[in-house]
Every structure is written in structure tokens, then in C-alpha cells.
Amino acid sequence: MRKDKVFFNIFRFHPDTDKKPFFQKFEIPFIRKDLTVLEGLYYIQQRLDNSLAFRSSCREAICGSCAMHINGKYRLACNTQVSKLKSDTVTIRPLAHMPLHKDLFVDMNLFWEKYEHIKPYLMRGKPLQTPGEQSQSPGERAKIDILTDCILCACCHSSCPVTASHEKYLGPMALLNIDRFVSDSRDGAKEERLAIINDEHGVWRCHTVFNCQEVCPRDLNPGGSIAHLKMEIVKNKI
Ligand code: SF4
Ligand code: F3S
């Protein structure tokens, strides 16, 4: 691998001007040894081709905006260092299983609709017996600790073969996030939540492929959440 230059091979498509998608190669200098893929994309956009479209925001792996397919795997562009890819060429494609707007910029409306569908907020169920702050024990909190780490990046969604073939499948992101509320001691709507996912578009559609776990940049395990939700459905006789 050359240390002074790197090639970015980028999926391009502008629906107004292009008949079909193509890949465009850019050569950029290896500005620093910890150059990230996102910095490379900004270099191209700001110095070589300002028509390049991609999504990003926080640049520190918190907002989940810059997920894309980079050298064979869905990852965040902001925390992927070019040197770690061990290749002269960085090949980038957009997230999959979503309509394409332009280049690396996809329409995520369906993804957000799935998130909205699982009611991603605490629901008390019965009125509070003791109004005021509802505390959790350290053990109760530990049950949701890791689940609250999801940054809604859609790497899992795009890597799942079932979301590719079943548009209505809720998918790993939505199912992990419903597990976050099912497992929360402050939530009082467990039965309602389990009923939402107890059909052919919910947990039973998962084929336990586990690509979702492999790609998650937060080391979450949506497949494990799905297994937990299936057990909860059976246990609660939903
Ligand atoms: Fe991204 Fe992981 Fe959340 Fe899926 S579970 S949306 S891969 S952070
Ligand atoms: Fe898809 Fe993950 Fe299930 S990759 S099939 S949601 S285990």
C-alpha cells in the first residue's frame, strides 16, 4: 500500500443526469496516517468534485449519519481509518435496501417509519401509584445499559438479507430498540409492545443470520435481542 496517495472508488448516480450508476475513481493525498474515510470524502467534495453527495454530521461516531458500505462491510465513514483498510483503494457504496437519492445519499424514510412503529418512548401503562421520579436499581438499569447505545445508523438494516427481500420486516434496528423498552423496568406496556412484533413482519421473520451483530459499530447484538423477545412472547403467552 502506498503511503502518499490513496484511491477512492465511489458509487455515483444522479437521477437527473445519469442513465445508470457507475463508479468514479479519485486520487487523494494521504494527508495524515489517521486519515478517515469521511475526511477523504470531504477532501473530494471540497477540492475535486463538489457534486458528490453523502450524509454526515457529528464526525465522532455518535449520530450514525455517515454509515455506508466501505471495502466490503457496512461501517461509519467517520471512524474508519483508511490505513486500517490495508488497501490502496477505498471502494464505497451507499446503504442498501433503501431508495437512492443521489450517490451515497439514500432515502431513510422507511427506516424511520419502522422506528416510529415500535413506539420508541416509555409508556407507563397504569397510572403511577407514587407520582414523581421513578428510580431504577443498578441491576434494573444494567438490563438496558447496552441497548441504549444504538445510534440508528442502519448498518444492521443494510446488512440483513431479510430486510432485502421483505420490505415490511421491522428489521434488526427496530427490534433491538423495542427490546430496549421491553427490558426497561419503568415501562408498563410490555404486552402491547410484544403484540406489535408477534407477526410475520416482526421477530418471527428473522432468520438468525447475525450479519446485524457483525457490522454494528456499537458492538450491539440485535440477533440476541430478537431471541430475547421471542422468549418474552412465549413466556407472556402473547
Ligand atoms: Fe446501528 Fe447497531 Fe443500532 Fe443497528 S443496532 S442501527 S448497526 S447502532
Ligand atoms: Fe437479519 Fe440479524 Fe435476523 S441479520 S435475519 S435481523 S439475526
Side-chain angles (χ1 to χ4, degrees):
M1 181 178 174
R2 288 172 60 183
K3 295 232 166 48
D4 54 336
K5 304 244 186 262
V6 62
F7 295 102
F8 272 50
N9 192 28
I10 304 178
F11 177 98
R12 303 296 308 264
F13 182 63
H14 190 321
D16 295 342
T17 52
D18 299 327
K19 286 207 174 93
K20 56 180 185 179
F22 61 99
F23 279 87
Q24 187 173 9
K25 213 164 193 176
F26 298 91
E27 184 183 296
I28 69 166
F30 219 118
I31 314 160
R32 297 188 322 272
K33 69 175 172 39
D34 58 355
L35 175 79
T36 66
V37 172
L38 185 61
E39 287 168 329
L41 287 171
Y42 272 117
Y43 183 95
I44 293 165
Q45 192 188 56
Q46 289 166 2
R47 298 179 188 223
L48 305 177
D49 183 349
N50 65 9
S51 72
L52 178 64
F54 57 92
R55 187 185 266 122
S56 82
S57 183
C58 75
R59 304 191 190 201
E60 50 190 324
I62 295 296
C63 74
S65 303
C66 65
M68 49 191 81
H69 190 265
I70 303 167
N71 282 19
K73 186 176 174 184
Y74 292 98
R75 319 170 198 243
L76 300 178
C78 69
N79 74 350
T80 301
Q81 291 184 11
V82 172
S83 61
K84 301 265 169 67
L85 296 172
K86 299 192 186 341
S87 169
D88 277 336
T89 304
V90 180
T91 300
I92 310 176
R93 296 178 172 83
L95 288 172
H97 321 326
M98 303 191 202
L100 184 68
H101 275 312
K102 187 186 170 199
D103 300 335
L104 304 172
F105 179 52
V106 294
D107 178 346
M108 296 184 72
N109 280 342
L110 187 58
F111 180 78
W112 298 125
E113 279 168 25
K114 289 176 180 185
Y115 186 53
E116 198 180 346
H117 184 69
I118 58 105
K119 305 188 179 181
Y121 37 81
L122 283 173
M123 296 192 287
R124 289 300 313 177
K126 297 182 209 135
L128 292 175
Q129 301 218 324
T130 44
E133 189 174 296
Q134 300 299 302
S135 57
Q136 285 184 304
S137 69
E140 287 168 338
R141 170 65 204 183
K143 286 188 183 159
I144 58 165
D145 245 357
I146 184 88
L147 297 171
T148 59
D149 275 359
C150 176
I151 55 174
L152 308 174
C153 66
C155 284
C156 56
H157 174 96
S158 290
S159 72
C160 173
V162 183
T163 63
S165 53
H166 295 273
E167 194 182 78
K168 290 190 174 164
Y169 173 45
L170 279 173
M173 175 281 296
L175 294 170
L176 176 127
N177 276 285
I178 204 164
D179 189 29
R180 177 250 175 274
F181 290 99
V182 166
S183 304
D184 193 318
S185 60
R186 299 164 298 177
D187 196 75
K190 186 188 264 192
E191 291 190 359
E192 180 182 341
R193 294 188 188 283
L194 294 176
I196 290 175
I197 55 165
N198 185 25
D199 67 12
E200 73 272 28
H201 308 308
V203 285
W204 308 111
R205 180 62 68 184
C206 169
H207 291 189
T208 56
V209 176
F210 286 113
N211 284 357
C212 49
Q213 179 185 6
E214 198 185 313
V215 298
C216 178
R218 306 292 293 190
D219 289 331
L220 302 181
N221 181 5
S225 278
I226 293 167
H228 176 238
L229 292 167
K230 285 175 177 171
M231 284 192 294
E232 288 288 332
I233 288 171
V234 174
K235 210 165 75 186
N236 289 277
K237 299 189 173 57
I238 302 297

